[in-house]
Amino acid sequence: MPTRSGRATFNLRAVVQDTGVKADTLRAWERRYGLPCPQRTPGGHRLFSQRDIDTVHWLKARLMEGMTIGRAAELWHSFEAEGQDPLIALPAVSAGEPQAFPILHGQALEHAREVWLEACLRFQEEQAEAAIAHALAQYPAEVVAVEVLSRGLAEIGDRWYRAEASIHQEHFTSALAMRRLEALMAGLPQPSLPGTLLVGAAPDDLHGFAPLLLAYLLRRRGRRAVYLGVDIPLDRFEQTLQQIQPDLVILTAQRLPAAANLAPFGQLLAGCS
């Protein structure tokens, strides 16, 4: 199970907005039960990781089930003592329980996507980053990654195809989305589940967001996903397989010519099985 909380990037206000738990309550939980476990800046301010936020959601779910906060914290620590990750052993949202963020395609997310896209189309990097930060303060990171970043890239790709956006605007938007997704991935805790997955894009395929998003979502769920990037060559790929020893290989292609380049990889993998 993970013993580290990942890179701390969220301040107290962001956690309050994300979880709905008041700042005083978060401080009390930390002081009394050691949950969550934020880091401190040199100035003494709290900085939370994505795992810290997930921990707060987990505690809230236990309270909704009728537990006291003391019992919920005790349960968390008992899972850890047994070598289990509480977030996996007992998910925050149980079957039949209402989702904390039920609107995944609602007007709020559509508005966030529109604001982000408009800033990107104007090459306004600070405004685009602010739009994503605001969305992350209201929704889980994976929801923002899919509903704002991924769908936003698809939309600007359509605009480029219709000659409503330039290639420079498309590249600028893609670069911002990739950078933000890489930052989100860097803040994740260490993998907690066994097995390794290898993810990348086919030869001659330079579209890196889709495989990177897949690797991020897998890591969010405790999987070890090794991301190789784009335009992966067949040369020495067998040596890479021997070194990584993946349980599953996932190679993406967004164009038919690139997809055709995957045939030799399939033959190689078939020979390795």
Side-chain angles (χ1 to χ4, degrees), residues 21-244:
V21 178
K22 295 180 180 179
D24 289 344
T25 301
L26 290 171
R27 295 189 190 99
W29 289 0
E30 177 191 352
R31 182 175 63 254
R32 297 173 185 172
Y33 309 109
L35 296 172
C37 304
Q39 299 179 23
R40 298 279 183 155
T41 67
H45 298 290
R46 292 173 174 82
L47 282 180
F48 298 79
S49 68
Q50 182 60 51
R51 182 172 177 82
D52 289 323
I53 294 176
D54 292 342
T55 299
V56 175
H57 281 296
W58 189 93
L59 292 171
K60 281 186 61 179
R62 304 290 79 79
L63 294 178
M64 291 177 63
E65 293 169 353
M67 288 188 187
T68 64
I69 182 59
R71 173 60 184 133
E74 180 182 352
L75 180 61
W76 175 282
H77 292 307
S78 69
F79 277 128
E80 289 187 325
E82 296 170 359
Q84 300 185 64
D85 185 350
L87 297 177
I88 297 173
L90 185 60
V93 179
S94 304
E97 186 178 358
Q99 297 283 342
F101 300 91
I103 304 176
L104 301 186
H105 303 278
Q107 293 182 351
L109 279 170
E110 290 179 3
H111 177 69
R113 184 165 61 245
E114 291 172 0
V115 171
W116 179 68
L117 274 178
E118 287 305 312
C120 290
L121 289 170
R122 294 188 176 95
F123 301 103
Q124 297 174 334
E125 183 173 340
E126 291 184 359
Q127 288 85 339
E129 288 296 313
I132 293 299
H134 182 70
L136 287 170
Q138 301 179 70
Y139 294 93
E142 63 186 77
V143 172
V144 176
V146 173
E147 298 296 331
V148 179
L149 297 179
S150 182
R151 288 181 177 271
L153 286 180
E155 182 173 335
I156 203 167
D158 290 340
R159 293 190 187 189
W160 172 80
Y161 182 78
R162 298 192 302 266
E164 297 174 1
S166 70
I167 190 65
H168 308 99
Q169 290 171 314
E170 191 274 337
H171 283 184
F172 178 81
T173 305
S174 297
L176 288 187
M178 289 288 292
R179 189 171 66 194
R180 171 59 74 167
L181 190 55
E182 288 169 349
L184 291 174
M185 184 178 290
L188 293 177
Q190 294 298 308
S192 58
L193 298 177
T196 299
L197 300 94
L198 188 151
V199 183
D204 297 328
D205 193 319
L206 301 179
H207 298 85
F209 187 84
L212 182 63
L213 176 61
L214 177 59
Y216 168 71
L217 295 175
L218 289 168
R219 290 189 187 182
R220 280 273 296 178
R221 284 154 180 77
R223 299 289 181 180
R224 179 173 182 256
V226 178
Y227 176 64
L228 293 185
V230 300
D231 191 20
I232 298 174
L234 182 63
D235 182 46
R236 302 191 67 178
F237 189 68
E238 186 172 2
Q239 290 92 322
T240 299
L241 292 176
Q242 293 173 352
Q243 182 176 358
I244 299 176

